[in-house]
Amino acid sequence: MKGVNETLATDFILLGLFPDVKFVSILIYAIILLYLTAVTGNSALLLLIAVDLRLHTPMYFLLSQLSLVDLALISSTVPKMMINFFSRRKTITRLACGTQIFFFFTLGGAECILLTLMAYDRYVAICNPLSYVVIMNYKVCLQMAVVSWMGGILASTAHTIYTMNLPICGSREIHHFFCEMPAIMKISCKDTSTYELVVFVMGISFIIIPFGLITASYIFIFLTVLRMKSPQGRKKALATCSSHLLVVSFYLGPCVYLYMTPGSSHSPEQEQAVSVFCTVLTPMLNPFIYSLRNRDVVGAVQKVLGKHQVSK
């Protein structure tokens, strides 16, 4: 019995999404709907890229990696929240908590690097089109994917090990709907000010530097677009770039708020709202942002639907 109690003592308690809100069930059902939409949208985009030869290009290869990241990111948090809500159980084991932190940071880091590499891909395609096929060859695309995933894994490993070794002296209640580093740091009885500085430096590496590189890429891109004589070419370039810039702003903006500002400056409710935006809303919107403004993807959808109607 003693062993069981000791095991339970190592569990954390997830208070859930906005525990003090009266009609939180409506919000939970809305998030479930967003989750199903995100899974459907990203899966459909992955399928389209796989089956349509016109989408077998570096840009769409990187986009498929982004869809994989988004699928995994939203699936690392929402299913556990759904299980806790419907089962009325709020506990999460230490191992499950560490696993959730690891995947969250791995996928978040991979997405930051991937968005930067996607900006570089657009820079080469628009500013150096004659060398695009040579520079962005298949081997380079694979290396980009590996760098994105490995960069996320390395950063995540360091964060997870430190966070899961923080001493928790009092309540083990996490004021969040999933295990997130800032929420666990708040219930630790150890002074985490030094680690907050480390997180800030990591934020510079994974948020500010990528943002700077993306901005620099788009300055060169817009200068090149302004010199284009073809209105159609200018419109196509701007449509592709605007989709990417929108996704970048949706993702990096909230990350700056969460990890580049002191944890004491925002409440648990604010952190949860931003986390919902990052982990639920953004993965749901990404496939639609890239699809609706992209003629190639729209053409691939029409081709698939046309074949389906002919087969009937």
Side-chain angles (χ1 to χ4, degrees), residues 262-274:
S264 56
S265 66
H266 26 83
S267 67
E269 288 76 18
Q270 289 171 331
E271 288 182 356
Q272 287 191 53
V274 174

Side-chain angles (χ1 to χ4, degrees), residues 38-51 67 71 287 291 297 301:
V39 171
T40 305
N42 283 289
S43 299
L45 189 56
L46 281 168
L47 184 63
L48 279 175
I49 292 171
V51 300
S67 287
L71 266 175
S291 301
V297 176
V301 172

Side-chain angles (χ1 to χ4, degrees), residues 69 72-73 76-77 97-113 148-164 178-185 195 198-199 202-203 206-207 251 255 258-259 279:
V69 169
L73 181 62
S76 69
T77 57
C97 187
T99 303
Q100 210 169 44
I101 291 173
F102 175 78
F103 278 107
F104 180 78
F105 273 107
T106 295
L107 298 162
E111 183 146 349
C112 288
I113 298 170
S148 299
W149 287 97
M150 290 307 297
I153 288 170
L154 290 172
S156 178
T157 302
H159 281 306
T160 305
I161 290 172
Y162 182 86
T163 305
M164 296 316 295
F178 70 98
C179 280
E180 194 179 26
M181 181 191 65
I184 293 179
M185 286 169 66
Y195 184 58
V198 173
V199 172
M202 292 290 284
F206 279 85
I207 300 171
Y251 187 74
C255 286
L258 276 178
Y259 301 109
T279 62

Side-chain angles (χ1 to χ4, degrees), residues 27-41:
L27 187 58
I28 297 292
Y29 285 116
I31 288 176
I32 292 171
L33 182 62
L34 291 175
Y35 173 70
L36 294 174
T37 305
V39 171
T40 305

Side-chain angles (χ1 to χ4, degrees), residues 179-197:
C179 280
E180 194 179 26
M181 181 191 65
I184 293 179
M185 286 169 66
K186 285 184 176 180
I187 63 172
S188 172
C189 54
K190 181 181 178 180
D191 180 19
T192 58
S193 56
T194 304
Y195 184 58
E196 284 185 13
L197 182 61

Side-chain angles (χ1 to χ4, degrees), residues 111-312:
E111 183 146 349
C112 288
I113 298 170
L114 198 55
L115 289 172
T116 309
L117 295 175
M118 289 173 76
Y120 174 73
D121 168 74
R122 291 299 82 206
Y123 163 76
V124 177
I126 295 169
C127 300
N128 200 0
L130 297 177
S131 303
Y132 181 69
V133 178
V134 177
I135 296 171
M136 295 297 296
N137 58 63
Y138 183 68
K139 184 180 177 181
V140 169
C141 290
L142 283 178
Q143 288 172 343
M144 285 180 167
V146 170
V147 166
S148 299
W149 287 97
M150 290 307 297
I153 288 170
L154 290 172
S156 178
T157 302
H159 281 306
T160 305
I161 290 172
Y162 182 86
T163 305
M164 296 316 295
N165 281 289
L166 285 172
I168 312 296
C169 305
S171 171
R172 304 183 75 83
E173 291 182 347
I174 299 173
H175 206 294
H176 217 299
F177 63 95
F178 70 98
C179 280
E180 194 179 26
M181 181 191 65
I184 293 179
M185 286 169 66
K186 285 184 176 180
I187 63 172
S188 172
C189 54
K190 181 181 178 180
D191 180 19
T192 58
S193 56
T194 304
Y195 184 58
E196 284 185 13
L197 182 61
V198 173
V199 172
F200 181 81
V201 173
M202 292 290 284
I204 292 173
S205 302
F206 279 85
I207 300 171
I208 303 302
I209 291 176
F211 180 76
L213 292 171
I214 291 168
T215 302
S217 297
Y218 277 104
I219 288 172
F220 287 113
I221 287 170
F222 288 136
L223 290 173
T224 303
V225 168
L226 288 173
R227 292 195 295 268
M228 286 182 178
K229 294 180 180 179
S230 167
Q232 190 176 358
R234 192 184 298 123
K235 186 179 179 182
K236 184 179 179 181
L238 288 175
T240 307
C241 294
S242 61
S243 298
H244 185 247
L245 279 174
L246 194 59
V247 171
V248 168
S249 61
F250 276 176
Y251 187 74
L252 293 186
C255 286
V256 170
Y257 175 81
L258 276 178
Y259 301 109
M260 301 295 292
T261 58
S264 56
S265 66
H266 26 83
S267 67
E269 288 76 18
Q270 289 171 331
E271 288 182 356
Q272 287 191 53
V274 174
S275 293
V276 168
F277 189 88
C278 277
T279 62
V280 180
L281 198 60
T282 302
M284 186 276 292
L285 288 173
N286 283 356
F288 297 101
I289 291 171
Y290 278 106
S291 301
L292 296 176
R293 296 176 62 87
N294 192 301
R295 288 183 180 180
D296 293 334
V297 176
V298 172
V301 172
Q302 290 172 343
K303 184 179 176 183
V304 170
L305 292 176
K307 282 184 177 180
H308 181 66
Q309 288 174 356
V310 169
S311 65
K312 279 186 174 182

